[in-house]
Amino acid sequence: LSAFSLCPGAGQDVGRSCILVSIAGKNVMLDCGMHMGYNDDRRFPDFSYITQNGRLTDFLDCVIISHFHLDHCGALPYFSEMVGYDGPIYMTHPTKAICPILLEDYRKITVDKKGETNFFTSQMIKDCMKKVVAVHLHQTVQVDEELEIKAYYAGHVLGAAMFQIKVGCESVVYTGDYNMTPDRHLGAAWVDKCRPDLLITESTYATTIRDSKRCRERDFLKKVHETVERGGKVLIPVFALGRAQELCILLETFWERMNLKAPIYFSTGLTEKANHYYKLFITWTNQKIRKTFVQRNMFEFKHIKAFDRAFADNPGPMVVFATPGMLHAGQSLQIFRKWAGNEKNMVIMPGYCVQGTVGHKILSGQRKLEMEGRQILEVKMQVEYMSFSAHADAKGIMQLIRQAEPRNVLLVHGEAKKMEFLKQKIEQEFHVSCYMPANGETTTILTNPCIPVDISLGLLKRETAIGPVPDAKKPKLMHGTLLMKDNSFRLVCPEQALKELGLAEHQLRFTCRVHIQDPRKEHETVLRVYNHLKGVLKDYSVQHLPDGSITVESILIQATAHSEDQGTKVLLVSWTYQDEELGSYLTSLLKKGLPQSTA
Amino acid sequence: YRDLHTFELQAPTRLIEWARGTRVCVAGYGQSGGNEILQLIPPPTLQAKESQGLCPERDFKVECGGFSKRPVYSLKYVPDTSLLVTSGPPDSSLQVWQVSAEDSDVIKPVSTIVTENGTGQPWARIATISARAPWVLHGSTLDSVQITEVELRKTVYTAASRDSEELSGLAFLDCNTLLLCCARGRLCVADVRQPQGPVEAVAVPSVPCGEQWCMGTACGAQGSELSSQPVARLSSRGLLTLTDLRKPSEPLASAKARVPSPGSGAEFLCVSWAPALQGCLAVSGFDGTVHVYDTQSWDSSGREAEPVFVHKGHAFGGAGGGGDPPLVTVHTWHPQKPRTVLSAATDGSLHVWDWVEPCGKC
């Protein structure tokens, strides 16, 4: 089993995810992300690492996408249409619905606004999505005769899933991004005790001890409230669908509780569709939302309305959610330019901003921005940053490992940090091996394959009949013959094996000579031996045959006089290989000598 | 409050130690092993002098960690070195660890300082100083007090005392003078310049018996005189006495903190002076609250005192209703920010709070 992260280059913060796993001869690509920080080809993974020559379609058995964030699916159309891949692409239903929207949105900004050429087209996005096979949670999907995959709920964003990839008895679980604590609109990740050979999990947030959600939300609401109270306008550029919904629910609840009147707007376009999808995929949200959905649709907001461009010029306080999230273009940037000059206003960045974007610039403290046409924009509005991202921390990672019980763990981390402590923590607590490969490094895991063998009923019956009753706690040793024929493994009794293979059985016979001092005649010695054995071996069948020999079960004992010494008798003890145990016992018994007086 | 942040540690801690001015260290005290020592980088909000508004990073980050089979009851960094010392049951030995955050994020065990007749003894209280050399002062009873040079593990001082009274705390008043607090309330000093020096009881008025006591000293600045900041002693029934060590026989002030009774024992009693607020101290260990008192208005009558602020956060924290209410295990003041306090409780919570005096005084 081997895993390889296709993200060469060191020290990237929020990079992209693209992992190649080789399992029992099958090759699977996990996620196909784009790096938001680069404007050239470095934003896409270098697929030539996979195979120098030869087509990707032949090499890869399938591609799996965990969720719709661009750092996990952004390079997909490039990969499938420009590099070339025609095999199946698997993702959950919500991901399949929302992915193309995000891809198209990003394409528009990159190509139309920035005028780039080496980028995928709208048609490519459509063609790429045609190759997508949508899967349901906990549904086992047969990719081919040997490879099967299954999706598990991951929390994090709508439709995010963790995937189990299984070939025969080897399996890998890939987590993508996940969250072990439920939030306002999504549940917590969950996986069953599937005991994979390898669990691949992100560990970027493993070293964080998070400030409680209550404190974050309280501070966020305080800021919004203060601004609105003094008549200012609050702009919240939304980065991804997930967080926008979370903040909407938060504000709606707060507005209701505090009976606030200022309007809250949701900008048109992307996020409107998003609300639609949340309603469509209501089963993917958390229980609380599903329960209240019947009485009141959580996404039908009373206080939040659709935005119109003209509203930005309205006087008075308001809150607006607008896209895109890093203020790099589009509506949020337009609104920003209108409001930036007024110090009563505020912009709250709810997530990470990639270098080069306006969002990043203002967060680094820049207050004079150069816009197109060499216009300088002075930023007098308050700039705040609130991170609501939902990732698993160390406690969450331990919880997931406890649930899945993998044999090995692989940590994928964004920064080239030292994760020795977490590695040791996992190894000590769960007694499994933990790997943290550097970017570009291949990790190979040795697995113990389980080979199923059929045992014949006759053999099973026979073996269980012999000896003591089988003890549930002690393994019982069975004897049989392993036949490997035509790709099947069978355990049968030796006779049947011989018959099937057309082999003759060889008999092994042992003979041992025991010397006994006895001057009497042979037949008297024999009688002595017979009586002795009959007395000692009460559970066995001891017989005195007319020809002067003694049998103990199937063992034969004969007495002859010693050729040179009349006073010594030689007992010939003879047994077959099957009676080895009894034979040796008899021999040692006889070697001890006969009792003096016998009847 | 001006600010309040609540965090949840994976395991509760009974110590919060500052290191290198900005790092915070916590450690688990579970009896069944698998305890972690965590050196944390506080969020930028805590590091800056001015409180920022919304901040990108609001979380503690684990900078490095170590694993301890023993419960960690006490931990002290050894100044000017990359070492720290811990102690905990089942005996009075000390464990020495190496922190090298640049190379690896694991705090490695380096050595053990074993004490004579140490088995069966209660766990050792510790204090560190690096005046002449990196020293650790440790002991669980009056007669087992000693100073060990950390790197060479050599004993440089032993207290000559025959008294086996249990200790609740010890501190360096300066690089030559030790202050020892007994669990029954007695205070003793000793001079380390005499390698087998006698321990002298400080002539403080005796305290009511039957209670457990602990002490709080101002951070003994190296090289300074016997601190002008009085020594505070706290009892398990909430009595607080302040003593000026230059004139110990006259009690400076005493008061009674408003604590629930019956008390919940003396396990987590903690009293500490605010480094940047004159006469201000904090008290915890009785329940899920931390009290802040202004001692400048106290006299020696021992009357009940009004706290200027009570942090109740831990009492409300609790995940789920069942089980005992959380008990605050330890608290500590931020070395620079005058009103910022960190506190931890038995439910694993870690709070960072910046309080404002309700009547608006500064």
Side-chain angles (χ1 to χ4, degrees), chain A residues 205-212 214-220 222-223 346 348 383-387 394-395 398 402 417-422 424-426 428, chain B residues 2-10 34 36-38 40 53-67 101-107 316-317:
Chain A
Y205 290 81
T207 50
T208 344
I209 296 179
R210 307 205 75 201
D211 184 5
S212 75
R214 250 198 311 200
C215 289
R216 276 170 207 265
E217 290 180 345
R218 178 204 68 217
D219 288 352
F220 170 74
K222 198 163 97 161
K223 285 284 157 186
M346 177 186 287
I348 303 180
V383 178
E384 303 282 354
Y385 185 163
M386 191 89 246
S387 172
K395 186 160 150 193
M398 302 301 274
R402 198 168 293 123
K417 270 198 306 197
K418 302 143 258 170
M419 295 290 238
E420 189 67 37
F421 179 59
L422 179 65
Q424 279 192 21
K425 189 167 145 127
I426 293 174
Q428 278 183 22
Chain B
R2 194 188 295 149
D3 220 350
L4 167 65
H5 296 269
T6 62
F7 300 87
E8 206 182 295
L9 298 169
Q10 224 177 313
E36 291 178 359
I37 301 173
L38 301 172
L40 309 172
L54 298 178
C55 198
E57 297 299 332
R58 296 166 56 102
D59 309 320
F60 273 93
K61 279 213 175 20
V62 176
E63 189 179 23
C64 44
F67 299 98
E102 299 75 35
D103 303 325
S104 127
D105 65 344
V106 177
I107 300 176
F316 294 124

Side-chain angles (χ1 to χ4, degrees), chain A residues 39 88-89 92 123 134 142 156 181 214 267 348 468 475 485 574:
Chain A
N39 289 323
I89 301 172
T92 61
Q123 187 57 40
Q142 291 286 143
H156 187 59
T181 44
R214 250 198 311 200
S267 84
I348 303 180
K485 199 168 155 193
S574 158

Side-chain angles (χ1 to χ4, degrees), chain A residues 485-555:
Chain A
K485 199 168 155 193
D486 303 326
N487 273 343
S488 75
F489 292 83
R490 276 155 48 232
L491 206 56
V492 296
C493 54
E495 294 80 17
Q496 188 180 345
L498 288 167
K499 201 168 25 157
E500 278 194 38
L501 297 170
L503 294 171
E505 189 177 358
H506 296 278
Q507 288 276 341
L508 273 176
R509 200 160 189 92
F510 299 98
T511 308
C512 192
R513 284 178 165 74
V514 180
H515 292 240
I516 293 193
Q517 291 297 329
D518 192 352
R520 284 168 279 192
K521 295 227 172 64
E522 281 155 31
H523 70 267
E524 284 171 5
T525 312
V526 168
L527 206 57
R528 270 184 80 195
V529 171
Y530 170 70
N531 285 323
H532 172 54
L533 288 179
K534 195 121 172 99
V536 174
L537 303 171
K538 293 201 175 67
D539 295 327
Y540 294 87
S541 145
V542 184
Q543 291 182 333
H544 190 183
L545 299 180
D547 68 358
S549 55
I550 302 171
T551 58
V552 177
E553 300 288 330
S554 60
I555 298 172

Side-chain angles (χ1 to χ4, degrees), chain B:
Chain B
Y1 292 101
R2 194 188 295 149
D3 220 350
L4 167 65
H5 296 269
T6 62
F7 300 87
E8 206 182 295
L9 298 169
Q10 224 177 313
T13 180
R14 52 187 288 172
L15 58 96
I16 306 175
E17 290 292 325
W18 288 93
R20 307 182 196 182
T22 53
R23 303 293 193 263
V24 170
C25 192
V26 296
Y29 58 93
Q31 299 296 330
S32 45
N35 292 300
E36 291 178 359
I37 301 173
L38 301 172
Q39 182 172 293
L40 309 172
I41 305 176
T45 39
L46 258 195
Q47 293 177 32
K49 273 242 146 190
E50 293 300 314
S51 283
Q52 296 176 324
L54 298 178
C55 198
E57 297 299 332
R58 296 166 56 102
D59 309 320
F60 273 93
K61 279 213 175 20
V62 176
E63 189 179 23
C64 44
F67 299 98
S68 169
K69 293 196 189 65
R70 283 176 188 242
V72 182
Y73 277 32
S74 181
L75 184 152
K76 292 271 183 269
Y77 281 85
V78 183
D80 303 332
T81 69
S82 60
L83 302 172
L84 60 84
V85 182
T86 63
S87 72
D91 57 39
S92 60
S93 63
L94 308 181
Q95 294 75 45
V96 183
W97 307 75
Q98 165 105 325
V99 183
S100 44
E102 299 75 35
D103 303 325
S104 127
D105 65 344
V106 177
I107 300 176
K108 300 186 189 52
V110 165
S111 58
T112 312
I113 294 174
V114 180
T115 48
E116 272 179 37
N117 310 317
T119 40
Q121 289 276 19
W123 59 282
R125 292 5 184 211
I126 49 184
T128 53
I129 198 171
S130 279
R132 294 196 264 282
W135 283 354
V136 57
L137 164 66
H138 58 109
S140 52
T141 53
L142 259 185
D143 57 355
S144 65
V145 171
Q146 57 185 104
I147 298 182
T148 308
E149 205 278 6
V150 183
E151 278 154 2
L152 304 173
R153 300 205 300 286
K154 210 174 51 149
T155 312
V156 296
Y157 168 86
T158 327
S161 165
R162 300 243 180 79
D163 200 327
S164 61
E165 200 177 322
E166 196 175 326
L167 289 175
S168 68
L170 32 76
F172 281 98
L173 283 176
D174 57 43
C175 52
N176 297 319
T177 323
L178 309 177
L179 178 64
L180 312 169
C181 179
C182 300
R184 286 207 226 108
R186 255 202 309 162
L187 284 177
C188 304
V189 287
D191 188 323
V192 301
R193 284 170 289 201
Q194 308 171 20
Q196 297 257 300
V199 162
E200 287 164 25
V202 175
V204 277
S206 55
V207 287
C209 4
E211 296 175 42
Q212 299 267 68
W213 291 81
C214 72
M215 74 167 171
T217 52
C219 334
Q222 293 186 26
S224 71
E225 294 288 319
L226 268 184
S227 185
S228 51
Q229 185 91 300
V231 174
R233 280 178 300 159
L234 170 70
S235 87
S236 47
R237 281 208 5 254
L239 285 172
L240 276 155
T241 71
L242 306 182
T243 309
D244 184 336
L245 287 171
R246 294 167 297 191
K247 287 193 284 183
S249 47
E250 295 167 26
L252 257 188
S254 72
K256 185 166 183 325
R258 210 183 317 139
V259 297
S261 67
S264 33
E267 183 79 33
F268 301 124
L269 283 187
C270 189
V271 58
S272 64
W273 290 101
L277 292 176
Q278 184 73 344
C280 216
L281 56 71
V283 160
S284 71
F286 299 96
D287 53 21
T289 65
V290 182
H291 291 210
V292 180
Y293 291 94
D294 182 352
T295 63
Q296 289 175 324
S297 58
W298 290 3
D299 53 29
S300 13
S301 63
R303 259 182 317 184
E304 192 169 278
E306 241 345 274
V308 295
F309 187 81
V310 178
H311 171 63
K312 300 193 190 111
H314 294 283
F316 294 124
D324 302 318
L327 193 56
V328 174
T329 55
V330 67
H331 71 263
T332 187
W333 292 83
H334 191 289
Q336 288 96 34
K337 296 170 73 124
R339 284 195 177 72
T340 301
V341 182
L342 279 72
S343 54
T346 50
D347 61 355
S349 55
L350 177 67
H351 290 186
V352 181
W353 37 284
D354 195 340
W355 56 279
V356 171
E357 259 197 67
C359 56
K361 268 203 308 225
C362 229

Side-chain angles (χ1 to χ4, degrees), chain A residues 574-592:
Chain A
S574 158
W575 64 88
T576 62
Y577 172 68
Q578 277 77 10
D579 297 321
E580 165 71 36
E581 228 180 288
L582 185 57
S584 345
Y585 173 67
L586 260 183
T587 316
S588 36
L589 180 66
L590 291 171
K591 277 193 181 149
K592 287 192 193 134

Side-chain angles (χ1 to χ4, degrees), chain A residues 14-52:
Chain A
V14 178
R16 52 176 136 68
S17 294
C18 186
I19 297 171
L20 212 60
V21 170
S22 243
I23 169 172
K26 302 284 174 186
N27 299 311
V28 177
M29 181 186 285
L30 302 169
D31 279 339
C32 190
M34 164 162 64
H35 195 296
M36 309 285 275
Y38 294 116
N39 289 323
D40 50 32
D41 282 345
R42 280 178 300 172
R43 65 178 139 216
F44 298 128
D46 188 348
F47 296 110
S48 63
Y49 268 80
I50 304 179
T51 165
Q52 302 295 356

